[in-house]
Each structure stands twice: as structure tokens, then as C-alpha cells.
Amino acid sequence: MPVVDWIIANVLTQASIVIASVALLGLLLQRKGPGETIIGTFKTLLGFQVLAAGSSIIVGTLTYFGVVFEEAFGLTGIVPSIEAVNGFATNDLGLGGEIALTFLGIFVVNILLARITPWKYIFLTGQAILWMATMTVIFASAAGLPSWAVIVVSSIVGGIFAVAMPAIAQPIVRRITGNDSIALGHFCTVGYMVEAGVAYAVRDRKAARRGEPQSSWEELKLPRSLEFLQDTYMSLAVVMVPLFMITAVVAGPDAVTDFTGDTDFVMYAFMQSIQFIVGVYVLMAGVRLMLGEIVPAFRGISMRLVPNAKPALDAPVLFPYAPNSVIIGFVTTTVGTVIAMFGLPLLGFAVIVPGMLTNFFAGGTAGIFGNTVGGRRGAIVGGVVHGLFITLLPALLVTAFLSLGFPNLSATDSDTIVAALFFAFIVGPIMRAL
Amino acid sequence: MGLFSRKPKAEAAPAATGPTPERLAELATEIATLETELASADAESTPALLDRLGAAEQERGDLDAAIVHFEASLQQREVYGPAYHALLDLYNQQRAAAATAKDREGLDRWIAKIDDHMALSKRILRSNY
């Protein structure tokens, strides 16, 4: 039938339409009124286009960055940004539809597992689910699975992570919060457990044998010195502006005349770094707009279908229990990422630029784990190891990302990278052998 | 303590009794006294009074009133303290109750409150360091 064929070829292949349809489904299931349903669906569609616009800006700046970094240092410079990975996968690789359906599928699998297994956790952090959907779809697709299988398998893998990661972290989360009523829903849990393991190994064993608590950073008063953290985009600027400008100075003006034209090469580098931050700002605005209708809908459905489940909440849920440890975790993780930035290239890996947002949220939360398990020593040693670990993981994926056409990008959240490695090193070889 | 502490075994839960009539009377007196003090309190002492009011209402079983007082306390002074921790617990309890009752709007409301609480957590950390 020509009309049906036209719809399939021109409407359902549009990722923005697919994700808006997911939002429409959620709004209808919530029995929202016609006005709310139309507005919510339209906002989701709009959010997707805003995300695509942000992605285009980021890709442009990173294309320049890749060339100038290679010219300056003879190395591949990689910016870890799961947001930009999502934007590129959606915009340029045409995987937006699969990502949207996998996003829905992860909720469904999470509900099923919470209902039938003892792991009664509902993962409520919408953005984290979007990043998991992104990474699983990219690498399932790269492994050679057909489109329908990409969605199904990615949903199952993502849904398992949505239940398993809160369950794995829960013994330590119980110690942090002093109760069992909430769980942690942040896809960096593998990194947290690495820090906890290191902290356990370096803990004060004499105190442990005496049954005394470990020393804690919460017993001390830290100075106010990290005010730049007050703004997300200032945190990005602190890294990207010097990085772009120093790289440009080392590379020299002749390396990038194709990009700069008549503009001074250092000024061009400065403006490109600002453009990167603008791209992230626009992309994140699109993500918030897009998820603003979908996430509440499906979270509510999930919690109604499994009423006795524990909510797995975003990382800041743990901050109040150990705020000093958050800062120690951020600082020590940053130290680890800087060491890895210079050390990994010696082992043949690319240069992975430290991601300050990840260092703050993931590093800070890991610091809480380290302090809880191993006291002050655990938080420091564990934090540095955590920084090394979360830099090594994206480094393992660089070759795969570059071969897929990503411009000097890698991912950040450790659990999403582990899921991607599963597809890259297990599913992929199986598919190639078939 | 090992790396993974064992989950405490669920003991046979004692029958929920709530405060005794004597304790309820004490709480009622305490609440009335605190409300009188609150009416003439200065800005510095108001948050602590609101925290005590919230705790008393929570013990009395009036969770909605407890939430109002704790939210007022946080509005006056955004810090990690009794109000912050109590509100997370109360929001979660209300969320669970709404989920059990299949109250769609209530569930959305309490999940949105928890979301705002997470945002507040980030704001407090950033403003204090």
C-alpha cells in the first residue's frame, strides 16, 4: 500500500518521530488530557532537534581539535563525553530510533526483573538510562546485529544493568545511609566498587580488628576553595579552554590554516573551546526537554507496577551523608585522571582528556564509597585508582569509536563502557564467527 | 566489618503500635509550645524550631504537616541537616504509599519532589564548597 510504504519510509525512519511516539505512548498510558499529550509530544520532538543541533556544534569543534592535537603532539586526543557520543550516534549514525526504543525497552526489562527476581530496584535516573541505551545500541549495531535484535538485546542488557548495579552497590549504600529504603541509580557503579575494593585493601586493619570505625573525612573541616564547581559550564571551561589554546600554540599556525582562515590561530582555538561548551549546553538543553515528558511517564508506571521496589536514585542522593568525601573523591579522581592522561600514551593508548563533570559526580560519589569502606586513606588511594580506572575504560574503546566515525570522542560512565565492551568483545566475535 | 556487610536479617516485625496516648498528649503539648515560640522567633532560630516541629509531627504520624515544617526550614536555610534527611525519608514513604495505593498523581508528585531534592543536594554541596 503506497500510504503505508510512505509512512514507513519517511516517518518511522525519523528518529525524532520515533522518540516523540514513545513520549506519546507514555502520556497516553498516564491518561493525560489531550492538551498535555499534544504539548508533551511536541516538546519531546523539539528536544530531539535541539539535541541534534548541539551535537552538530560539538562535532565541528572536535573535528578541529583532533587535527590540531595530532599536529601538536603526534597523538590522538580524546574528549570523553557521553552526551556528545549520544548526539553523534543519533545525528550522524542514524541510530536515534533504536536508541529511543531501547530506552523504552530498558524500562520494560527493569520492571520485569524487579517483579520476578529478589532484586526489587527501579532505576529512576532517566539520563543514565539514555546513556546506557546509547552505548548498548552503538556497540550492538557495530557487532553486526540486525536492527530488531539491537533493540531487543540492548534492552535486555541495559535492563539487567538497571537492576544489578543498584543491587551490587546496595551493601555499601546501606552503610552510607544507615537504612535500606533507597538505592543508587548511577551507571558508574563498577568504578565505585573498584574504589571500594582498593579502600578495603588499604583500610586501617588494626582499627578494623578492634571493631572500631575507620577514620573519616567527615570529622574534618575542608576549606572553601573550589567555587568554580558552582557552575557546570565553568567546570568544562577550566579544562577545555587551556587545552585547546595550549594545543594550538604547540601545533603552530600552519597546522590549521584550513580551519582558521584569516583569524589568529590562538583566538580561533579559544573560540572553538567556547563553541564546544556551547554545544554541550545546547545538547543538554535538548536532552532535558526530550526526557522531560518521557521519564516521568515511565518512572510512574514502573513504580506502580512494582510498588515494593526500592527507587534507585541519582548520585547526589548520597552527597549529604558525606559531603567532605565528595570533594576528596573529586580531587583524588582528578589526580588519577591526570596521571592516566600522561601515562596511558606511554602504553600505546590515546590521550584521554579528564572530564571534570565525571570527576565531580562519579569521583565524588566514589569518594563516599572509599571513605565509608577504608576511611581517609581509603578515600585518597581509592580515589586515585578510580581516576586511573575511569580513564583506562574509555581508552579501551577509542579504536572502536574512531572506526565507527566518532570524532575524537569516547564515553565516560563506567557501567555503560562495560556494557559496550560486552558487545565489542563477546557478541561481536560470536557474530563474526557465525 | 567486611567489604560487603551482610544485610540484616528481617526480624519478625513487632505489631505497629504508634505513640501511646500519653506520648501523643506530650507531643500535642510540645507542638503547641513550639508553635508559640515560632511566632516570635528571629530568623536565626526559626529553622531549628521548624525542625523540632517537623520531628514532633512525624512522630505523631502527621506526615503531611511534618513535610510542611521541614520544607519551610530548608527554605530558610539550605543545609544538609535534620530537615534535609527527614524530607528524603518522608518523600520516599509517601511515594511508596502512593505506589501501593496505585495513586498515579500522588506517585508523580512525590517522585518530582525527590527529583527536586536531588537538585537541592547538588546546590547545597556547590554552595558550601
Side-chain angles (χ1 to χ4, degrees), chain A residues 232-248:
Chain A
T232 299
Y233 300 101
M234 274 306 299
S235 309
L236 272 176
V238 160
V239 173
M240 300 311 285
V241 171
L243 175 69
F244 271 57
M245 293 181 74
I246 290 170
T247 305

Side-chain angles (χ1 to χ4, degrees), chain A residues 30 175 229 299 304 316 324, chain B residues 2 102 108 115 121 126 129:
Chain A
Q30 275 192 301
R175 284 168 66 173
L229 290 177
R299 281 192 316 192
R304 279 205 306 284
N324 285 353
Chain B
K102 309 278 188 220
D108 289 346
D115 277 343
S121 173
R126 284 178 165 152
Y129 291 90

Side-chain angles (χ1 to χ4, degrees), chain B residues 19-29 59-61:
Chain B
T20 61
E22 292 79 19
R23 182 59 186 152
L24 281 173
E26 284 172 14
L27 285 169
T29 308
E59 190 182 346
R60 190 161 75 160

Side-chain angles (χ1 to χ4, degrees), chain A residues 239-271:
Chain A
V239 173
M240 300 311 285
V241 171
L243 175 69
F244 271 57
M245 293 181 74
I246 290 170
T247 305
V249 166
V250 174
D254 298 333
V256 287
T257 49
D258 289 346
F259 291 96
T260 60
D262 294 331
T263 308
D264 176 74
F265 72 108
V266 177
M267 177 54 70
Y268 187 86
F270 173 76
M271 294 310 298

Side-chain angles (χ1 to χ4, degrees), chain B:
Chain B
M1 187 179 283
L3 178 57
F4 292 103
S5 60
R6 199 168 283 281
K7 186 175 173 181
K9 285 187 182 151
E11 294 163 0
T17 52
T20 61
E22 292 79 19
R23 182 59 186 152
L24 281 173
E26 284 172 14
L27 285 169
T29 308
E30 183 182 344
I31 288 169
T33 307
L34 287 169
E35 282 171 347
T36 307
E37 285 180 40
L38 191 63
S40 56
D42 58 22
E44 205 167 311
S45 51
T46 297
L49 286 170
L50 286 166
D51 288 347
R52 288 167 63 190
L53 258 172
E57 295 283 14
Q58 187 175 5
E59 190 182 346
R60 190 161 75 160
D62 190 344
L63 301 190
D64 289 327
I67 287 171
V68 167
H69 292 309
F70 284 129
E71 285 180 346
S73 169
L74 261 189
Q75 213 164 18
Q76 304 239 348
R77 190 179 59 185
E78 284 192 348
V79 292
Y80 293 142
Y84 181 91
H85 291 289
L87 277 174
L88 181 61
D89 188 42
L90 287 166
Y91 290 156
N92 198 32
Q93 284 184 47
Q94 298 289 63
R95 176 208 55 78
T100 304
K102 309 278 188 220
D103 174 4
R104 186 177 289 116
E105 282 177 21
L107 192 53
D108 289 346
R109 183 169 67 248
W110 295 114
I111 292 178
K113 287 267 194 187
I114 292 172
D115 277 343
D116 292 342
H117 218 52
M118 298 298 101
L120 175 64
S121 173
K122 286 192 273 190
R123 205 160 62 237
I124 292 174
L125 188 78
R126 284 178 165 152
S127 66
N128 285 329
Y129 291 90

Side-chain angles (χ1 to χ4, degrees), chain A residues 252-409:
Chain A
D254 298 333
V256 287
T257 49
D258 289 346
F259 291 96
T260 60
D262 294 331
T263 308
D264 176 74
F265 72 108
V266 177
M267 177 54 70
Y268 187 86
F270 173 76
M271 294 310 298
Q272 284 297 302
S273 68
I274 300 300
Q275 279 282 82
F276 178 84
I277 298 165
V278 166
V280 172
Y281 180 91
V282 173
L283 188 149
M284 288 309 298
V287 168
R288 279 190 286 272
L289 196 57
M290 189 176 72
L291 296 184
E293 306 299 326
I294 298 177
V295 171
F298 290 103
R299 281 192 316 192
I301 292 166
S302 303
M303 299 254 49
R304 279 205 306 284
L305 290 174
V306 197
N308 56 339
K310 290 189 195 68
L313 302 171
D314 203 356
V317 72
L318 298 182
F319 289 179
Y321 298 96
N324 285 353
S325 302
V326 173
I327 303 305
I328 296 299
F330 165 66
V331 171
T332 53
T333 292
T334 300
V335 168
T337 57
V338 170
I339 293 172
M341 180 174 76
F342 291 107
L344 285 180
L346 300 175
L347 302 174
F349 290 102
V351 175
I352 308 294
V353 175
M356 296 307 276
L357 284 180
T358 303
N359 289 0
F360 180 72
F361 286 102
T365 308
I368 298 175
F369 276 62
N371 183 70
T372 300
V373 173
R376 287 185 218 147
R377 192 189 313 161
I380 290 181
V381 178
V384 175
V385 172
H386 178 251
L388 294 170
F389 180 73
I390 65 170
T391 310
L392 176 63
L393 279 185
L396 294 174
L397 286 181
V398 165
T399 305
F401 271 122
L402 289 174
S403 69
L404 291 170
F406 282 82
N408 298 81
L409 276 174

Side-chain angles (χ1 to χ4, degrees), chain A residues 96-263:
Chain A
E98 286 88 339
I99 292 172
L101 292 172
T102 300
F103 179 81
L104 174 61
I106 290 175
F107 270 110
V108 171
V109 174
N110 185 180
I111 291 169
L112 284 171
L113 290 174
R115 279 197 71 104
I116 64 177
T117 72
W119 293 341
K120 303 229 174 280
Y121 301 95
I122 295 293
F123 204 100
L124 294 189
T125 312
Q127 276 191 18
I129 295 179
L130 180 63
W131 309 147
M132 177 61 77
T134 301
M135 290 291 284
T136 51
V137 163
I138 290 170
F139 283 87
S141 184
L145 292 171
S147 190
W148 68 267
V150 165
I151 296 166
V152 170
V153 177
S154 298
S155 299
I156 292 171
V157 169
I160 290 172
F161 270 82
V163 171
M165 293 299 109
I168 287 169
Q170 194 62 5
I172 300 178
V173 170
R174 267 200 297 277
R175 284 168 66 173
I176 294 168
T177 63
N179 65 69
D180 199 30
S181 58
I182 56 169
L184 178 64
H186 199 227
F187 278 136
C188 298
T189 303
V190 170
Y192 302 155
M193 299 314 293
V194 165
E195 168 143 359
V198 171
Y200 183 75
V202 302
R203 74 194 187 286
D204 182 347
R205 289 164 196 266
K206 287 183 185 165
R209 271 197 292 273
R210 288 195 296 266
E212 292 167 4
Q214 298 286 313
S215 64
S216 171
W217 282 104
E218 306 313 312
E219 295 160 0
L220 304 177
K221 197 169 170 60
L222 296 185
R224 285 184 68 138
S225 56
L226 300 170
E227 290 180 28
F228 69 89
L229 290 177
Q230 290 188 26
D231 188 87
T232 299
Y233 300 101
M234 274 306 299
S235 309
L236 272 176
V238 160
V239 173
M240 300 311 285
V241 171
L243 175 69
F244 271 57
M245 293 181 74
I246 290 170
T247 305
V249 166
V250 174
D254 298 333
V256 287
T257 49
D258 289 346
F259 291 96
T260 60
D262 294 331
T263 308

